[in-house]
């Protein structure tokens, strides 16, 4: 079964064709990150305008060597996300479904992040899942396909949002996650044994599975304001920021793994591409854990892409009439 996936939840314009939920035939992403870097973040109207220009060329490129008769269904992100951006993908997918007479499957963007793990592996249930991105940080138990129970999440800023805001305070380029990671990598290479405890790990000792990252932003702001040679210390502070965020995520997930004893642990979302986060899970959490399997997508499948949308639709094949498809920017992971 070949599914055409379409993803336009934020600033990316993406289309992909995936066969049977695993074989990626094409995966095309048009990024407007360079445009948003000039303004220090995504301006929704600008993102949507760029997606109007990109959507048809991206879909055409994803269908290269194929035609509509090769496609069995269409999957599209309906939320959460920016309403203007969502509408570009939703209305395009509805039009194609009507013209081609194809079933259409609405997809929750957050759930799709999880299904990037099915492209390169086959996780066992029950699975504990961390979805960590620019707008969301959620920990859920997945009992089966489409069966989720929310365990915990951020009370304020998402981890990816914290990366972006702290990067802005350090005058690093948007998106903040890769910029901080790059600066931190250089500092860590030069100072491999330095313990990083400059910033707080909020809620780390609380008896729950929640996070809070707004206080970290405040702590970074105060450090920047009180540091005279800030330009020289940017790599050091970037490393401290990254370690604080990664420590918080890993500690609470380790705690949840110990309590729920899942067969699989799935890392997903844009922040899952962070090399330090992946390293800590691999070497500090799962190096001696033989009962829970660790699953981490390829880095290019962690960020927004349409291959994950198509894979999600395959495993949650619930088509609806194109007339009933609507964009919903307020969707949650358990909606």
């Amino acid at each position: 079964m070949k599914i055409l996936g379409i993803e336009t939840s934020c600033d990316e314009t993406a289309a992909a064709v995936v066969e049977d939920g695993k074989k990626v035939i094409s995966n095309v992403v048009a990024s407007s990150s360079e445009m948003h870097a000039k303004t220090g973040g995504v301006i929704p109207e600008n993102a949507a305008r760029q997606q109007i220009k990109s959507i048809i060329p991206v879909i055409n490129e994803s269908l290269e060597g194929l035609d509509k008769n090769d496609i069995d269904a269409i999957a599209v992100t309906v939320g959460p996300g920016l309403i203007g951006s969502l509408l570009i993908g939703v209305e395009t997918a509805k039009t194609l479904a009507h013209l081609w007479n194809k079933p259409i499957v609405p997809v929750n963007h957050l759930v799709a992040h999880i299904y990037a793990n099915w492209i390169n592996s086959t996780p066992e249930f029950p699975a504990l899942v961390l979805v960590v991105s620019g707008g969301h940080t959620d920990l859920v138990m997945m009992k089966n396909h489409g069966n989720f129970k929310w365990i915990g999440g951020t009370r304020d800023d998402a981890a990816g949002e914290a990366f972006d805001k702290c990067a802005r305070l350090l005058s690093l380029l948007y998106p903040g996650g890769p910029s901080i990671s790059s600066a931190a990598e250089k500092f860590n290479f030069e100072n491999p044994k330095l313990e990083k405890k400059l910033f707080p790990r909020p809620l780390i000792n609380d008896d729950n599975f929640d996070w809070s990252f707004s206080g970290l932003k405040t702590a970074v702001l105060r450090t920047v304001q009180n540091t005279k040679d800030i330009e020289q210390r940017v790599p050091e502070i970037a490393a401290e920021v990254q370690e604080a965020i990664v420590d918080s995520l890993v500690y609470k997930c380790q705690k949840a793994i110990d309590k729920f004893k899942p067969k699989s642990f799935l890392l997903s979302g844009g922040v899952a591409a962070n090399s330090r986060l992946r390293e800590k899970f691999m070497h500090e959490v799962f190096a001696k854990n033989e009962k829970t399997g660790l699953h981490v997508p390829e880095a290019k499948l962690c960020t927004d892409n349409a291959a994950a949308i198509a894979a999600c639709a395959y495993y949650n094949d619930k088509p609806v009439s194109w007339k009933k498809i609507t964009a919903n920017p307020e969707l949650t992971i358990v909606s």
Side-chain angles (χ1 to χ4, degrees), residues 210-273:
D210 291 345
W211 289 277
S212 172
F213 294 107
S214 62
L216 174 61
K217 178 189 66 176
T218 302
V220 174
L221 174 62
R222 289 174 178 167
T223 298
V224 170
Q225 291 174 335
N226 295 327
T227 302
K228 294 181 180 179
D229 56 340
I230 186 62
E231 291 185 6
Q232 287 72 34
R233 290 193 62 194
V234 164
E236 174 193 353
I237 296 173
E240 292 279 3
V241 167
Q242 177 174 259
E243 203 70 9
I245 294 173
V246 168
D247 277 352
S248 297
L249 292 171
V250 171
Y251 183 86
K252 285 294 180 82
C253 288
Q254 174 71 78
K255 183 178 176 182
I257 291 166
D258 293 341
K259 178 176 180 178
F260 297 108
K261 298 177 173 56
K263 289 186 177 180
S264 304
F265 177 82
L266 280 56
L267 189 58
S268 59
V271 179

Side-chain angles (χ1 to χ4, degrees), residues 92-332:
T92 301
K94 288 167 63 175
T95 300
L96 291 177
H98 176 56
L99 291 175
W100 295 354
N101 192 29
K102 303 290 183 181
I104 183 169
V105 181
V107 173
N108 183 316
H109 175 78
L110 299 177
V111 175
H113 271 310
I114 297 171
Y115 278 90
N117 284 283
W118 264 264
I119 292 174
N120 57 15
S121 61
T122 305
E124 292 184 87
F125 297 115
L128 184 68
V129 185
L130 175 65
V131 181
V132 56
S133 65
H136 301 270
T137 301
D138 292 294
L139 188 64
V140 297
M141 182 63 74
M142 188 177 182
K143 296 181 180 180
N144 209 324
H145 294 299
N147 187 338
F148 299 95
K149 180 181 179 181
W150 190 82
I151 303 298
T154 183
R155 296 183 180 180
D156 39 63
D157 290 354
E161 186 179 2
F163 271 119
D164 285 341
K165 290 180 177 178
C166 291
R168 193 176 300 125
L169 292 173
L170 295 173
S171 299
L172 293 174
L173 292 176
Y174 174 89
S179 293
I180 283 183
S181 179
S182 178
E185 185 175 3
K186 178 181 178 181
F187 181 82
N188 289 335
F189 179 79
E190 296 173 350
N191 303 272
K193 296 182 179 180
L194 182 66
E195 187 176 16
K196 302 170 189 69
K197 296 292 183 183
L198 179 61
F199 297 123
R201 278 72 165 160
L203 307 184
I204 200 167
N205 294 316
D206 287 17
D207 188 22
N208 54 45
F209 302 107
D210 291 345
W211 289 277
S212 172
F213 294 107
S214 62
L216 174 61
K217 178 189 66 176
T218 302
V220 174
L221 174 62
R222 289 174 178 167
T223 298
V224 170
Q225 291 174 335
N226 295 327
T227 302
K228 294 181 180 179
D229 56 340
I230 186 62
E231 291 185 6
Q232 287 72 34
R233 290 193 62 194
V234 164
E236 174 193 353
I237 296 173
E240 292 279 3
V241 167
Q242 177 174 259
E243 203 70 9
I245 294 173
V246 168
D247 277 352
S248 297
L249 292 171
V250 171
Y251 183 86
K252 285 294 180 82
C253 288
Q254 174 71 78
K255 183 178 176 182
I257 291 166
D258 293 341
K259 178 176 180 178
F260 297 108
K261 298 177 173 56
K263 289 186 177 180
S264 304
F265 177 82
L266 280 56
L267 189 58
S268 59
V271 179
N274 180 277
S275 59
R276 182 59 177 153
L277 181 65
R278 298 159 81 96
E279 178 187 19
K280 277 224 166 190
F281 272 116
M282 290 178 185
H283 299 304
E284 296 187 14
V285 178
F286 289 96
K288 297 181 181 179
N289 188 330
E290 298 179 355
K291 295 183 178 180
T292 301
L294 171 64
H295 298 268
V296 185
E298 295 178 56
K300 66 181 180 181
L301 294 176
C302 292
T303 51
D304 291 353
N305 68 91
I309 304 300
C312 181
Y314 176 81
Y315 290 101
N316 300 271
D317 188 16
K318 298 178 181 178
V320 300
S321 168
W322 65 267
K323 297 178 181 179
K324 295 182 179 180
I325 297 283
T326 58
N328 182 356
E330 304 300 326
L331 277 182
T332 66

